[in-house]
């Protein structure tokens, strides 16, 4: 009965997966774009996906949040002409939308914390407007059927039917391999069902399980996935995993967060090193509700406040932004919606 339910769920998701695929022509345009100040390139996109991986790890978000955020980002970039200066805001907005779809409300980072930790130079208002733009352009179809959806179902089906040790097929390892693949734009062109089966088959071959390989082949026949298509993506997956496993590869989830402070802040810390602050008496009453997150928008979170005096923690070295330069105006001062072209690729 459980097996029948799982296979039925696979069929339903297979019928819906094409709805949430990024526009392939738009992805091809990104791949053919050279890196410059006016257009987004594939390399720039891949770097932002690595940023997403680091941020989801920092905030303790689930893998599903990361995969959903990448799907939102790719679908949006595939249909919109985006300037590089807006890409950070778009990336964080996709992460926040995904977190609200997947995570428990108590575990969702505040918009203020997202901006502080990512060290991006935009305001809470900018982020809110960007979330609205992304949702509208994607016709409010935000919760997607992804490769992770299929990977979880494949894993359940395999463990349900195999006679071998269930510990040999690690879901955590499969998820990590999927994250590595999603950091490359080429895998956004794969059908989620095919990419997930490619990852499963590759791992089953690695652990040399004949029993599980037969199960994977049954899944392939049930979903009518062509051998040629599966072999093509398995080859790309194998190369990606090999590259990722090499010691030269910089892994986003293994990097440590560091603090970046300006020279002025460092001087202030040094001068106050031996001072003992006078702390105010702690009141015994309840929390002042006026200090809730809703009032965060009144705080100055724009480029000026995120500039030379930034003291928050940052994400890994590849996420470091040049925040020590004094800026006089925000690139978002004229509004996000004015800069984002309404025209499609």
């Amino acid at each position: 009965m459980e097996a029948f339910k799982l296979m039925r769920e696979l069929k339903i998701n297979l019928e819906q997966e094409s709805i949430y695929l990024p526009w392939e022509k738009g992805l091809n345009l990104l791949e053919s774009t050279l890196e410059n100040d006016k257009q987004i390139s594939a390399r720039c996109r891949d770097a932002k996906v690595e940023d997403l991986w680091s941020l989801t790890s920092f905030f303790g978000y689930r893998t599903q949040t990361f995969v959903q955020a990448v799907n939102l980002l790719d679908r949006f970039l595939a249909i919109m002409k985006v300037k590089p200066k807006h890409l950070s805001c778009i990336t964080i907005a996709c992460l926040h939308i995904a977190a609200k779809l997947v995570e428990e409300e108590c575990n969702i980072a505040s918009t203020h914390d997202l901006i502080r930790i990512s060290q991006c130079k935009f305001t809470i208002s900018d982020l809110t407007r960007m979330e609205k733009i992304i949702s509208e352009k994607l016709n409010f179809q935000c919760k997607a059927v992804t490769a992770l959806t299929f990977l979880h179902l494949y894993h359940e089906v395999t463990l349900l039917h195999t006679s071998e040790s269930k510990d040999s097929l690690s879901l955590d390892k499969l998820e990590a391999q999927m994250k590595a693949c999603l950091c490359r734009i080429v895998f956004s062109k794969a059908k989620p069902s095919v990419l997930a089966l490619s990852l499963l088959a590759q791992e089953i071959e690695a652990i040399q399980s004949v029993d599980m390989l037969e199960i994977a082949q049954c899944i392939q026949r049930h979903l009518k996935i062509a051998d040629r298509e599966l072999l093509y993506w398995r080859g790309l997956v194998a190369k990606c995993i090999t590259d990722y496993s090499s010691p030269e590869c910089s892994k986003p989830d293994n990097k440590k967060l560091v603090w970046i402070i300006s020279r002025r802040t460092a001087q202030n810390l040094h001068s106050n090193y031996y001072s003992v602050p006078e702390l105010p008496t702690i009141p015994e009453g309840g929390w002042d509700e006026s200090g809730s997150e809703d009032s965060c928008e009144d705080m100055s979170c724009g480029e000026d406040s995120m500039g030379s005096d930034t003291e928050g923690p940052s994400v890994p070295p590849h996420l470091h932004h040049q925040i020590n330069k004094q800026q006089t105006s925000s690139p978002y001062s004229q509004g996000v919606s004015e800069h984002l072209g309404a025209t499609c690729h």
Side-chain angles (χ1 to χ4, degrees):
M1 185 64 182
E2 188 178 352
F4 175 78
K5 183 181 176 182
L6 288 172
M7 299 307 280
R8 184 173 176 272
E9 196 172 344
L10 277 173
K11 278 284 191 181
I12 292 171
N13 285 301
L14 187 70
E15 292 169 1
Q16 296 179 350
E17 71 174 347
S18 60
I19 300 172
Y20 304 101
L21 276 173
W23 188 39
E24 189 170 349
K25 187 177 178 181
L27 294 178
N28 289 336
L29 285 172
L30 284 174
E31 285 187 309
S32 62
T33 300
L34 298 176
E35 219 167 337
N36 56 58
D37 295 333
K38 295 181 179 179
Q39 291 178 298
I40 302 295
S41 66
R43 184 178 177 181
C44 193
R45 173 266 178 201
D46 291 350
K48 287 302 174 186
V49 173
E50 289 186 3
D51 291 0
L52 281 175
W53 188 347
S54 295
L55 287 169
T56 51
S57 297
F58 177 81
F59 288 112
Y61 287 163
R62 304 174 193 175
T63 301
Q64 187 181 352
T65 302
F66 168 76
V67 176
Q68 287 284 348
V70 174
N71 178 266
L72 291 170
L73 179 65
D74 285 335
R75 285 161 61 200
F76 187 77
L77 293 181
I79 62 172
M80 299 299 295
K81 289 183 178 179
V82 174
K83 293 182 180 179
K85 65 182 179 181
H86 294 133
L87 187 55
S88 293
C89 188
I90 293 168
T91 303
I92 300 302
C94 289
L95 177 60
H96 202 221
I97 293 171
K100 287 187 281 189
L101 290 172
V102 176
E103 305 293 337
E104 297 290 336
E105 189 175 353
C106 59
N107 295 329
I108 299 173
S110 69
T111 50
H112 183 264
D113 287 344
L114 276 174
I115 293 170
R116 286 281 292 173
I117 299 303
S118 63
Q119 292 194 339
C120 295
K121 298 176 182 179
F122 51 81
T123 67
I124 292 175
S125 296
D126 293 329
L127 187 61
T128 302
R129 286 198 301 275
M130 187 60 78
E131 287 183 40
K132 184 174 182 291
I133 291 170
I134 292 169
S135 298
E136 288 175 351
K137 294 300 179 183
L138 299 182
N139 298 317
F140 298 96
Q141 294 178 323
C142 295
K143 193 165 187 179
V145 173
T146 65
L148 188 68
T149 308
F150 287 97
L151 189 65
H152 283 181
L153 289 170
Y154 294 162
H155 187 261
E156 284 188 61
V157 170
T158 305
L159 294 190
L160 187 66
H161 289 88
T162 188
S163 58
E164 297 183 18
S165 172
K166 300 185 188 303
D167 295 332
S168 59
L169 190 64
S170 169
L171 183 58
D172 289 341
K173 185 177 180 181
L174 287 168
E175 287 186 355
Q177 291 172 345
M178 176 173 288
K179 288 178 182 178
C181 289
L182 292 180
C183 287
R184 300 184 178 187
I185 194 170
V186 64
F187 290 101
S188 296
K189 299 178 185 179
K191 294 176 184 176
S193 56
V194 179
L195 176 56
L197 190 57
S198 299
L199 285 161
L200 181 74
Q202 192 67 26
E203 182 60 19
I204 288 173
E205 185 179 285
I207 62 177
Q208 299 180 337
S209 171
V210 177
D211 183 35
M212 291 184 184
L213 185 59
E214 289 178 358
I215 296 169
Q217 290 171 345
C218 286
I219 293 172
Q220 181 187 350
R221 288 194 295 269
H222 181 74
L223 300 182
K224 298 178 180 178
I225 297 173
D227 288 339
R228 184 177 179 180
E229 186 178 18
L230 185 61
L231 284 172
Y232 172 76
W233 288 107
R234 272 195 65 180
L236 292 180
V237 164
K239 185 178 185 307
C240 178
I241 292 173
T242 301
D243 293 344
Y244 183 75
S245 301
S246 68
E248 292 80 16
C249 178
S250 177
K251 301 173 179 60
D253 60 332
N254 288 338
K255 293 186 176 180
K256 295 181 179 180
L257 295 171
V258 297
W259 290 87
I260 296 179
I261 59 175
S262 67
R263 183 180 300 175
R264 186 195 308 175
T265 303
Q267 289 173 347
N268 290 337
L269 289 172
H270 182 75
S271 62
N272 294 328
Y273 184 79
Y274 295 104
S275 63
V276 179
E278 294 183 3
L279 298 178
T281 303
I282 299 175
E284 296 182 6
W287 291 103
D288 182 3
E289 295 182 358
S290 63
S292 64
E293 184 188 336
D294 294 337
S295 64
C296 285
E297 194 163 336
D298 295 330
M299 298 173 66
S300 176
C301 296
E303 188 169 2
D304 292 337
S305 64
M306 296 299 291
S308 61
D309 287 328
T310 301
E311 300 179 42
S314 71
V315 283
H318 70 278
L319 300 179
H320 292 170
H321 301 291
Q322 295 180 353
I323 63 168
N324 293 333
K325 295 181 180 180
Q326 184 67 27
Q327 302 290 334
T328 57
S329 62
S330 170
Y332 292 88
S333 59
Q334 297 179 21
V336 174
S337 57
E338 293 180 11
H339 290 291
L340 269 175
T343 58
C344 297
H345 287 306

